Amino acid sequence: MTLIDRTTDLAQGLRDRFVAVRGETEALAAPLSPEDQQIQSMPDVSPTKWHRAHTTWFYETFLLGPSLPDYGEHRPGYGYLFNSYYEAVGPRHTRADRGLISRPSAAEVGDYRRHVDEAMHDLLDLVETGERSELAPLVDLGLQHEQQHQELLLMDIKHVLSVNPLRPVYRDEQHEAAGDPGPVGWIEQAGGIVTIGHDGDGFAFDNEGPRHDVLLRPFALADRLVAAGEWLAFQADGGYERPELWLSDGWATVNAEGWDAPLYWFRDGGDWWIHTLTGVRPVDPAEPVVHVSGYEADAFAAWADARLPTEAEWEHAARATPIEGNLLPADRLHPTAASGEGVRQLIGDVWEWTASPYVAYPGFRPAAGAVGEYNGKFMSNQMVLRGGCAVTPGGHVRRTYRNFFPPHSRWAFGGLRLAKDAA
Amino acid sequence: MTLIDRTTDLAQGLRDRFVAVRGETEALAAPLSPEDQQIQSMPDVSPTKWHRAHTTWFYETFLLGPSLPDYGEHRPGYGYLFNSYYEAVGPRHTRADRGLISRPSAAEVGDYRRHVDEAMHDLLDLVETGERSELAPLVDLGLQHEQQHQELLLMDIKHVLSVNPLRPVYRDEQHEAAGDPGPVGWIEQAGGIVTIGHDGDGFAFDNEGPRHDVLLRPFALADRLVAAGEWLAFQADGGYERPELWLSDGWATVNAEGWDAPLYWFRDGGDWWIHTLTGVRPVDPAEPVVHVSGYEADAFAAWADARLPTEAEWEHAARATPIEGNLLPADRLHPTAASGEGVRQLIGDVWEWTASPYVAYPGFRPAAGAVGEYNGKFMSNQMVLRGGCAVTPGGHVRRTYRNFFPPHSRWAFGGLRLAKDAA
Amino acid sequence: MTLIDRTTDLAQGLRDRFVAVRGETEALAAPLSPEDQQIQSMPDVSPTKWHRAHTTWFYETFLLGPSLPDYGEHRPGYGYLFNSYYEAVGPRHTRADRGLISRPSAAEVGDYRRHVDEAMHDLLDLVETGERSELAPLVDLGLQHEQQHQELLLMDIKHVLSVNPLRPVYRDEQHEAAGDPGPVGWIEQAGGIVTIGHDGDGFAFDNEGPRHDVLLRPFALADRLVAAGEWLAFQADGGYERPELWLSDGWATVNAEGWDAPLYWFRDGGDWWIHTLTGVRPVDPAEPVVHVSGYEADAFAAWADARLPTEAEWEHAARATPIEGNLLPADRLHPTAASGEGVRQLIGDVWEWTASPYVAYPGFRPAAGAVGEYNGKFMSNQMVLRGGCAVTPGGHVRRTYRNFFPPHSRWAFGGLRLAKDAA
Amino acid sequence: MTLIDRTTDLAQGLRDRFVAVRGETEALAAPLSPEDQQIQSMPDVSPTKWHRAHTTWFYETFLLGPSLPDYGEHRPGYGYLFNSYYEAVGPRHTRADRGLISRPSAAEVGDYRRHVDEAMHDLLDLVETGERSELAPLVDLGLQHEQQHQELLLMDIKHVLSVNPLRPVYRDEQHEAAGDPGPVGWIEQAGGIVTIGHDGDGFAFDNEGPRHDVLLRPFALADRLVAAGEWLAFQADGGYERPELWLSDGWATVNAEGWDAPLYWFRDGGDWWIHTLTGVRPVDPAEPVVHVSGYEADAFAAWADARLPTEAEWEHAARATPIEGNLLPADRLHPTAASGEGVRQLIGDVWEWTASPYVAYPGFRPAAGAVGEYNGKFMSNQMVLRGGCAVTPGGHVRRTYRNFFPPHSRWAFGGLRLAKDAA
């Protein structure tokens, strides 16, 4: 999967990408039984089946219905069930109740996907012939949207499987322990007025722009992610028991939830074990810590006498990083230890919590209509994370990509990299 | 299915009954997809798959493990997942989370059932040959237990399907409207010292005894159930808006839950419709009202200037009633209108709310050990219901049978019959 | 304070009783500051100030307004604030928010009481002269109502003071340890058809009738209350850790609430201490255990291989007991150890949990109108307690008196006496 | 009350300021009865009595205990009751339960204040003589802290009185309607690199620094606050019913809470009325809207095709504004209509919601020890408000002052001023 080049005709290759992305979703769902695909293990999680249907609904609602003459809605009621949060599209099923809908079945959702795929091929004919080439960006958005849900599908099924005391796996895989990543090095950055945000070349979500100047002070960025071994040291040093390290909301959450380790870690005997998509095994100290909340990331940074980077610092430091790393379709499905030289792990492995609340860039205006609800309305009470993770599709991440979660969230693949003010 | 005669040798016919009951559970589950069988639509509901596994666990835990030499547990962890509430057996999975366990799948639960069935045939050999004939009552209890869960399976799947806005059906069936049951007649009963409770002949649950004397005052019992048409009149007369008709807890529940009709009734246009296992259709005024709480039953009785019968009154009035009626395996799966003469509908159709809190009969002592948790520990905050309903297996109801639910419960097939003090 | 004799003219002495009861309420509130009188420490508790106002509102609403020509309502809005639960009287302030009303102040409530008292003297003139003698029973009801609230006032302020870590006292008093009450003796009762319920002689609440026959089996009743020392033995024997002793709802409550002792007991070092209205001190093993829930009472009885008496058994056994004991106006404000011979402590000390759910007696009909809401509408999910307690006004208890609380309640002065089936 | 000049000796005049601030707190509490001072109407609110005690505890804990030889703690337990949120100081009473502590009484809190004041005079002797002049900044912090609580005291008692259906007033005052403020004018600002944050001259809280450069784009700021009349237009235009205007969290809150107007507005007949500290009266369209959440402020700005200013924009625009306005000790206790020319209402009237999440300025480090908990640990899930309000003490506001509340909060005196990108 390669990055989209918008300077060439977006319509070129659109059908191939459509087929590839649609196929990838089904490939990710393939190891999962109808029962696996049914479960919503907490309100934030959606069933696999729902992801498969909702990504399909997106094309039906924003492309086929409005733009394909004679398109016949697949089934009445699906629009109600599979709208996620688009107020402008109409009423919809309660989010927290997505796991209570046994019908349509996983197989019937497959039928839905095939029905929409067929109609999309008719629409892609119109795009390719130039009759409706203006629809190409919306198709592209649909594919980007589906790639986001591929990551969500894996995040969510990881949680679903984790609540089962039988500890089932998504895919059985042997973990190969990596070598010690060595001590953290610090990469100095001069700061000054720098430019961040998407430059308009190729696809980006609306929240990545407008491109704009920001003023940075000199800073240093760690050359790798915080590793699990360092997290074990934080725990051993009373990290979860010392209120002075924590934001007030974070400390309240630690106590309310009884946190004493990252999500998916559990103690067995004297050791810490970890639940992953490929099975349960001891925590590997060399690999990056993952599934920590923004509160935990912040407390760790305080303990380490450092801080989290801002998103502008991160983006500036990553300005020349190649867009490659531990991403899908790698089989690993988990972050892996740093190796090599220089600033490592910026792309892939874990989403890196930043110190930046998720707010609009200067001059940002959401698009008109339902599509404008995609990003802008979530700009409160969330923090920005950067860089993609081990379950992000390879072509889906950008240096300007702004992921966001509330600071208490742990089921996303969130980890951290430290920063410091320049000496 | 016929009533068990304990005066003959219980072991006789035990294998046939075992095969029949086990098969009936699978037959009831057969119309349901893996997804249908997975869902827990509220904490009181259990997934179909869980019912199938839990009834199997009962034999494994109370019979095969303790009594069959060399019995091999089917899968580790199943004991934890499928223990319902037996504290003496050990820790168990959280009840409200039963819907979050995708594995074992419905098919793997089928394997579990087959594994246990095979072992049970070995055990039944020992029972039949007399080598372990003392186990026959425990096998019998397992079958009675499974029959209870057959009813629960249908109660629960009815709720599961009801929360789906697509309104799926368990089985598609045409409703045939019945004739008007005519006005209620009153059957006078003289009262005095009468005897109630199980006489020890044939199977009964421990809570049905000891048989004992009670003192009844003269009373009259309605000769049929309250019909849906009468409920419509109650609604039209402000039944859900007049606090003077309600117990205080009931009135609080009406307001907290926004009740204005029985569960599964909904208004479409000017009419009341009903969700049943066989589809959605207009409310039929001739059929008994069902899925009302004990609070609603009590308020209706107050509105009708009557009262609910006590369980002793009910049992005494039913003393000679044949054990037949609208019960499983009838295809109807819903109560039906009264017809004929005399006291009708005592057995089957709906569980009849009584005025009696569920408490121990004089001299009651629960059995020792885990089996003693079956009934006794639930003797608080619940009311007794009598008579069985349209989804109760035919051989499973008795005149002495004491069903019980908290007064706010509506997903059981609860309805009512009026009583009065003698003039 | 003596029992009312209804066979004499109720109007006789009514004014004296009115003055005495009204004065007693104010005397009970006198040690309490405006702040003390303001607090609602949990939804079940009402502020002292509210009790003083609500008892006053009762006369205003049911007597002065309807029956005294030219009576001027004291202040607009008081009817809304001080109606407790009378739906028929109109809308009212949310119960759980009673502690949020700073105005009227405690002093202004005193003004309200004086205003109503003056008007009541005018009305009592009419009663005494015979012009309105038919109002005497309603005045009497108002006084009985106020006496109930005297007990509630003390129950409630005990809880209010208990949540203050400074452990303030209602009245500072030295506890004098009593002698060992000795082992429990068992009083045999023959049973048979016996009559219970109020006989119409003197005042009774509607729920104490109709008087009716019940059939009792032979039983034995303990000759004293369960003592705190016995409760310590229950705790030491794992009473709060053994699910087999508990009703299922009780066991869930024990775990949800973390109960390991009666309410108001706390551990300090190795010893159990108790918060009382007269101060904090070590638990005295000789005195009756109090402030246990119905669940705890039931579990203790199971542990002791006994059971709780039914309310009919209790009333029958108490049929000849004099109405005297550790009641108000004693300064003790706490149950005290049994002494003397025979069946002791039936009246006063602690309300005794029975095995009887609170339901209507045969033939019970609540009175018409708002006064009919007094008792009947609470007949669900509660258990009957008998005998009065150390903070019940002396003239307010009867052998037929049916107090009631949900089985999880602990802030009432609930304790227990054991019963057994006859050998 | 005048701004503190730190360039002169802080010790000069410290005693006078101490006396003045301490007296002002008592003067603000003086109209309130013991009952008024007791109530906590929601978890965010603290009782008046608690504010009076907590501000006193601050001196006792951070000054008298550590620094005054032979200081005798006033009462054991007060440290536990009156610590707000200082983890480093030790355990403390649950915040949500502050309203449940009747003792110490309001009068006893007065004793506590007098005891501490006397000791503080001894300590101020040492400061004035130079023996302990290093304590002057901590005394100053204590006074600033107390002034913050003066505002909180008024915010909180406003809420306390508002929940009383009798609609009591803090102080009875006649509202004089102001003239129409006229249309909003827009003040253009050139932007560029500007400096914000406290310059170290005079007192500031730690979160106001370090002073640092920020890069601003050209923008325009409204020359007055949004007025209530404009809010009425927003409501009339469906402001509370159009999801497209709202942040997702805001829309969820609107629906969960049933918001259709600012806090303290209520409809009576066809008109909107408002609860103020000086009584209930019709909404005055000329006065600024107040008691809106950050969500409402943001939605209003979207409706007006504008946006909220960032805190840097606000501070830059206010760089030359005199520190005067509608502040305490004015009797008004409510924002008032704009009058005059130029940018008005920057200081006083209402706290202005900004678009800026409350995060650390670059280089911010909280102070060591308990005092470091003052501000830094609250830097998550909150938004910055600027400018002070009608109940902020006059000497307590600064152009650099960063107030902060979660975006759903409405009981603070929050209003808004619009901003726009330059054309």
Side-chain angles (χ1 to χ4, degrees), chain C residues 169-173 276-281 331-333:
Chain C
V169 301
Y170 171 75
R171 186 195 292 154
D172 216 338
E173 204 94 19
T276 75
L277 282 164
T278 59
V280 160
R281 57 170 171 79
D331 280 348
R332 196 177 280 277
L333 304 175

Side-chain angles (χ1 to χ4, degrees), chain C residues 32 34-36 38-41 49 76-78 80-81 93 99-106 161 163-166 168-169, chain D residues 32 34-36 38-41 49 76-77 80-81 93 99-106 161 163-166 168-169:
Chain C
L32 299 169
E35 290 93 338
D36 292 335
Q38 178 61 49
I39 293 181
Q40 180 170 33
S41 49
K49 183 174 79 177
Y78 280 23
Y80 181 84
L81 287 178
H93 192 236
L100 305 183
I101 303 302
S102 61
R103 308 185 196 177
S105 66
L161 297 176
V163 302
N164 190 330
L166 303 184
V169 301
Chain D
L32 299 169
E35 291 93 338
D36 292 335
Q38 178 61 49
I39 293 180
Q40 178 169 35
S41 50
K49 184 174 78 177
Y80 181 84
L81 286 178
H93 192 235
L100 305 184
I101 303 302
S102 61
R103 307 184 194 177
S105 67
L161 297 175
V163 303
N164 189 330
L166 302 184
V169 301

Side-chain angles (χ1 to χ4, degrees), chain C residues 27-96:
Chain C
L28 291 173
L32 299 169
S33 69
E35 290 93 338
D36 292 335
Q37 296 196 33
Q38 178 61 49
I39 293 181
Q40 180 170 33
S41 49
M42 63 167 177
D44 283 336
V45 159
S46 294
T48 303
K49 183 174 79 177
W50 187 91
H51 286 299
R52 294 171 58 216
H54 164 69
T55 47
T56 304
W57 165 91
F58 193 95
Y59 306 108
E60 188 173 59
T61 303
F62 295 117
L63 285 158
L64 298 177
S67 300
L68 194 69
D70 307 324
Y71 174 73
E73 185 194 16
H74 182 58
R75 289 282 181 276
Y78 280 23
Y80 181 84
L81 287 178
F82 300 125
N83 177 0
S84 51
Y85 55 65
Y86 295 87
E87 302 277 352
V89 172
R92 64 209 167 284
H93 192 236
T94 305
R95 177 179 180 138

Side-chain angles (χ1 to χ4, degrees), chain A residues 167-316:
Chain A
R167 303 199 180 287
V169 300
Y170 171 74
R171 186 195 291 156
D172 216 338
E173 203 94 20
Q174 196 62 31
H175 172 70
E176 292 175 33
D180 183 335
V184 164
W186 294 93
I187 310 295
E188 302 277 337
Q189 298 283 337
I193 292 184
V194 306
T195 310
I196 66 164
H198 193 255
D199 62 6
D201 206 18
F203 177 84
F205 288 114
D206 57 357
N207 63 359
E208 298 173 47
R211 189 160 171 86
H212 64 287
D213 289 343
V214 296
L215 182 60
L216 297 184
R217 310 200 323 163
F219 69 100
L221 197 70
D223 66 352
R224 64 163 172 79
L225 298 169
V226 169
E230 288 153 345
W231 202 269
L232 289 164
F234 169 71
Q235 291 174 287
D237 195 36
Y240 285 95
E241 292 135 44
R242 292 165 51 186
E244 70 272 19
L245 300 174
W246 293 81
L247 288 162
S248 181
D249 286 353
W251 184 242
T253 309
V254 163
N255 287 286
E257 303 292 329
W259 289 350
D260 63 355
L263 180 63
Y264 302 137
W265 287 27
F266 59 96
R267 217 191 271 272
D268 190 0
D271 298 322
W272 284 102
W273 289 63
I274 186 169
H275 159 85
T276 75
L277 283 165
T278 58
V280 160
R281 57 170 171 78
V283 166
D284 179 346
E287 74 190 4
V289 68
V290 66
H291 296 296
V292 293
S293 64
Y295 294 134
E296 288 163 290
D298 185 83
F300 181 92
W303 173 78
D305 202 24
R307 60 172 174 82
L308 299 177
T310 65
E311 63 168 325
E313 289 171 339
W314 189 98
E315 184 172 330
H316 178 61

